[in-house]
Amino acid sequence: RNGAVQGRILLWHSLAAGEASTLSEIIARFRTIHPRAAIQIQGFATAQEMRDAFQAAADSGLGPDLLLAPSAWVGPLADQRLIDPIDSAIPESTLQRYTPTVLETVRYREQLYGLPASINTMGLYFRTRLVEQPAATLDELLAEAAQGRVVAIGASFLDAFWGAPAFGGRLLDDEGRVVLDRGGFANWLAWLRDAREAPGMIIDNNREVLRSRFMDDGVAYYVGYADELNLLVDTLGSDQIGVAPLPAGPVAAAGPFLTTHSFLFSNVSSEAQRNLALALAQFVTNTEQSSTLMRQARHVPANTRVRVNPRLNPNIASFSAQARTAVPLANRPEMEAILAYGGDAYNRVLEGVLEPAEAAIEITNLVNEINGFAPVTTPPSVCTGVGTVQLAHSLEGSAVEALDAIINRFRSECPTIIVRSQYIAPSDLPAQVAARGAGAGRIDLIFASQSAFQAFSAESVVANLNNYVDNETLQRFRPDALNALRNQGGLYGLPVSVGAPALYYNRALIADPARTLDELRAQAGQGTPVALDIRFEAAFWGVGAFDDGPANATGDQLVDPNALAAWLEWLREARERGGIRLSRDPGALQADFVAGNT
């Protein structure tokens, strides 16, 4: 009932004038609905000024009932017992407005301390007069810089972490242990180091200087935060600023940190004041009011029920899209040491003092030690043993010659170790490995394709290498290649090469190969013989051509069913109307291609 919401509370914020005006309008609507509620609003010039005033007032048992503040404050203020958890006071229907990632930003020690009003993550700002189509990958970004469109990237740990997930890296495991040494992070550091020397790339710790150069000096790209959008648009004009998701890497999408601007609840409030503060916070964060903040104040809504129209609000839509792959900046004690020492790792690599792989291992061990985690030690890899290694493989032709050459080089380095290799047909390999035990007939090492991996794992005939391969060795490999050989936390192999489908074409039959599926079907219709392998693994590539990306993934689905259906329909029409030959016989397809028939 409206009469049940009553009393007087004090709300503090540090919004700029235009944003504060929008918030006041929303609160005025709340007062109309609840005429017995009085809300006093106090604004501060900066967030730091507000935090200093809040802590000073708390010492006297005074201060606001409600704070609109950065989610990064949750841990420190909760430790000082200046804010209260609100788990029991918030209905499930309200929590359903948010994704788990967004709620994670206001959790601390498994308790909920706030209601998110807007999200803040990073995106790729660009000047519309200089950039027609923003770079979508890191390679494209380098190409843009080389063509004279200058790129500005911050190099602090917070500002520059986004590229580690793009190379397959992670920050923490489920226990809070830093895992930056397990691939990805070192590759990202190496990319930054090399990019810094490339023409048109500005990589620096001072983000304010970078932002100023973006506004004043004609810099084309700037990696910045959503909460900088108002400043940039108000300074340069809405038609001069565009935003795109951060460039993807070779393994995955970029993963910048995600924080929120959230309502936090002071512990000085009475029960009546707390109830009024909760009612106001839920009102401001509902779908309608969040939409108002988005349209009028350019806030990126934390409420997932807000419809973000890419045509009407393209910059907000880009930040919302980036938030899907963002990493919540967790309120956990381990982060203090990470932030303290993470930036130093970037600096030392960029200045050439430390190699990327060494930096990844050093920061991982250092922070884990500070946070009380025992170091994970692995035995060094040295060639001092004596014995015989039985190697099984399924290679043929020139691949066997290459393997023999590698074995001979190994023998020159380790003369006391004998390597004996034997061929086993691919279809027989899993059974043969499972049947071999100790003794002369055993198999110690298997050189096989990934398709055999599941069979080996199911039979439990391959060893977990976690305690045998050091982190420096792991840094050599692409993270996605290593992940293909992981199962339930264990690593069961080391990758040698990677494979991906490609479109082979006969230059005698066609000079300009098709770049899209429509072009492929058109060429077939014009008489060019086209043949496709439609075995599931060989034809899986086509699903991605109809998939909109991670935003459509639901639950534990590995394949978007709509994309799969669209691909199958394309194949059916290609065969029936487009004249494309479909086959499940790779040998016959290859023979026809070699003979010049396709």
Side-chain angles (χ1 to χ4, degrees):
R1 301 191 319 276
N2 290 348
V5 179
Q6 56 184 310
R8 180 182 298 274
I9 61 171
L10 175 60
L11 165 64
W12 283 7
H13 68 78
S14 60
L15 300 177
E19 301 165 88
S21 177
T22 301
L23 179 63
S24 295
E25 291 179 21
I26 293 173
I27 292 176
R29 288 197 285 271
F30 180 82
R31 288 171 177 154
T32 300
I33 299 171
H34 305 288
R36 300 178 65 184
I39 296 97
Q40 182 180 351
I41 307 172
Q42 182 173 347
F44 291 81
T46 66
Q48 187 59 51
E49 180 182 325
M50 180 173 71
R51 181 168 177 175
D52 293 341
F54 178 61
Q55 292 185 296
D59 292 338
S60 303
L62 304 173
D65 303 283
L66 194 59
L67 279 171
L68 184 54
S71 57
W73 292 9
V74 167
L77 295 185
D79 281 340
Q80 297 175 65
R81 299 184 180 180
L82 300 182
I83 57 174
D84 287 337
I86 56 171
D87 304 76
S88 60
I90 300 298
E92 182 62 28
S93 58
T94 297
L95 297 181
Q96 289 175 355
R97 301 172 179 171
Y98 306 106
T99 65
T101 298
V102 168
L103 287 178
E104 185 66 23
T105 66
V106 287
R107 291 194 188 278
Y108 183 62
R109 300 190 187 277
E110 301 183 357
Q111 290 185 294
L112 184 71
Y113 278 88
L115 278 184
S118 61
I119 62 176
N120 188 31
T121 192
M122 304 191 83
L124 183 65
Y125 285 100
F126 60 92
R127 297 292 294 269
T128 55
R129 67 179 177 85
L130 300 175
V131 176
E132 181 176 351
Q133 182 66 38
T137 68
L138 289 172
D139 287 342
E140 290 178 9
L141 192 65
L142 282 175
E144 287 280 277
Q147 294 172 14
R149 289 179 276 274
V150 179
V151 179
I153 300 177
S156 71
F157 188 83
L158 281 175
D159 294 347
F161 176 76
W162 59 272
F167 283 88
R170 291 178 58 201
L171 178 60
L172 301 171
D173 63 13
D174 294 338
E175 298 177 355
R177 180 192 295 273
V178 175
V179 290
L180 291 173
D181 60 338
R182 298 185 186 176
F185 184 61
N187 304 78
W188 170 234
L189 290 177
W191 188 93
L192 284 174
R193 180 194 61 188
D194 296 341
R196 194 183 193 188
E197 304 302 321
M201 298 292 296
I202 305 174
I203 300 175
D204 192 87
N205 286 326
N206 194 326
R207 186 162 48 83
E208 292 185 1
V209 170
L210 296 176
R211 185 178 62 212
S212 295
R213 293 195 62 174
F214 177 68
M215 293 190 291
D216 300 335
D217 293 348
V219 171
Y221 289 99
Y222 164 63
V223 177
Y225 288 90
D227 65 6
E228 298 174 282
L229 179 60
N230 278 317
L231 172 63
L232 293 173
V233 169
D234 292 344
T235 303
L236 299 171
S238 59
D239 61 334
Q240 297 296 312
I241 294 294
V243 179
L246 293 170
V251 177
F257 284 121
L258 174 74
T259 61
T260 58
H261 218 55
S262 300
F263 286 105
L264 309 181
F265 301 83
S266 170
N267 69 351
V268 302
S269 302
S270 66
E271 182 179 356
Q273 290 170 322
R274 172 61 51 79
N275 290 336
L276 175 53
L278 287 164
L280 177 62
Q282 291 181 82
F283 179 80
V284 176
T285 58
N286 69 26
T287 304
E288 292 74 16
Q289 314 318 315
S290 293
S291 297
T292 300
L293 283 168
M294 175 187 69
R295 292 192 304 270
Q296 298 181 198
R298 302 189 189 99
H299 283 195
V300 183
N303 186 332
T304 59
R305 297 172 181 172
V306 176
R307 183 175 180 272
V308 183
N309 189 318
R311 183 177 62 84
L312 298 178
N313 300 285
N315 295 339
I316 300 294
S318 291
F319 280 118
S320 294
Q322 184 64 76
R324 299 188 189 111
T325 61
V327 178
L329 189 60
N331 293 294
R332 41 197 316 171
E334 294 87 357
M335 288 303 302
E336 183 176 350
I338 293 171
L339 298 179
Y341 293 98
D344 182 61
Y346 280 87
N347 290 336
R348 295 170 69 191
V349 169
L350 292 177
E351 296 303 326
V353 177
L354 198 62
E355 287 297 314
E358 295 173 349
I361 295 171
E362 182 177 295
I363 184 177
T364 298
N365 293 338
L366 177 62
V367 173
N368 283 335
E369 182 180 353
I370 292 173
N371 288 328
F373 290 102
V376 177
T377 58
T378 56
S381 178
V382 292
C383 188
T384 58
V386 176
T388 302
V389 175
Q390 303 286 352
L391 169 65
H393 67 84
S394 298
L395 303 177
E396 295 179 343
S398 60
V400 177
E401 297 175 4
L403 176 62
D404 289 339
I406 293 172
I407 291 174
N408 288 332
R409 286 196 293 270
F410 176 79
R411 286 172 180 162
S412 66
E413 296 289 334
C414 303
T416 59
I417 299 178
I418 300 172
V419 178
R420 292 178 177 172
S421 64
Q422 58 178 312
Y423 171 84
I424 299 177
S427 58
D428 297 334
L429 190 57
Q432 288 277 353
V433 172
R436 304 287 185 94
R442 74 185 188 278
I443 293 175
D444 303 305
L445 190 61
I446 310 159
F447 195 178
S449 66
Q450 185 194 343
S451 59
F453 174 71
Q454 290 183 338
F456 295 150
S457 299
E459 297 292 338
S460 300
V461 296
V462 287
N464 184 345
L465 302 180
N466 280 351
N467 294 326
Y468 297 95
V469 181
D470 59 38
N471 293 318
E472 184 175 358
T473 299
L474 293 178
Q475 294 290 335
R476 302 174 184 171
F477 303 104
R478 290 173 55 95
D480 52 347
L482 283 174
N483 289 338
L485 300 173
R486 294 187 190 276
N487 185 21
Q488 297 183 351
L491 178 64
Y492 292 90
L494 293 178
V496 175
S497 61
V498 296
L503 179 66
Y504 285 91
Y505 67 98
N506 188 331
R507 293 179 176 176
L509 299 177
I510 188 166
D512 189 12
R515 291 166 294 182
T516 67
L517 289 174
D518 290 340
E519 290 182 9
L520 188 66
R521 188 158 58 184
Q523 290 177 354
Q526 295 167 4
T528 301
V530 178
L532 297 178
D533 187 344
I534 58 169
R535 292 173 300 151
F536 181 80
E537 182 177 354
F540 186 79
W541 61 270
V543 177
F546 296 91
D547 191 348
D548 289 334
N552 289 339
T554 57
D556 294 325
Q557 290 181 346
L558 296 178
V559 178
D560 182 348
N562 295 326
L564 178 60
W567 171 230
L568 292 175
E569 178 63 17
W570 188 93
L571 288 172
R572 185 185 66 80
E573 291 185 2
R575 180 184 60 188
E576 296 177 0
R577 303 177 189 177
I580 294 179
R581 173 190 171 195
L582 306 182
S583 173
R584 297 180 182 276
D585 187 344
L589 290 173
Q590 187 180 72
D592 279 350
F593 182 78
V594 172
N597 298 325
T598 56

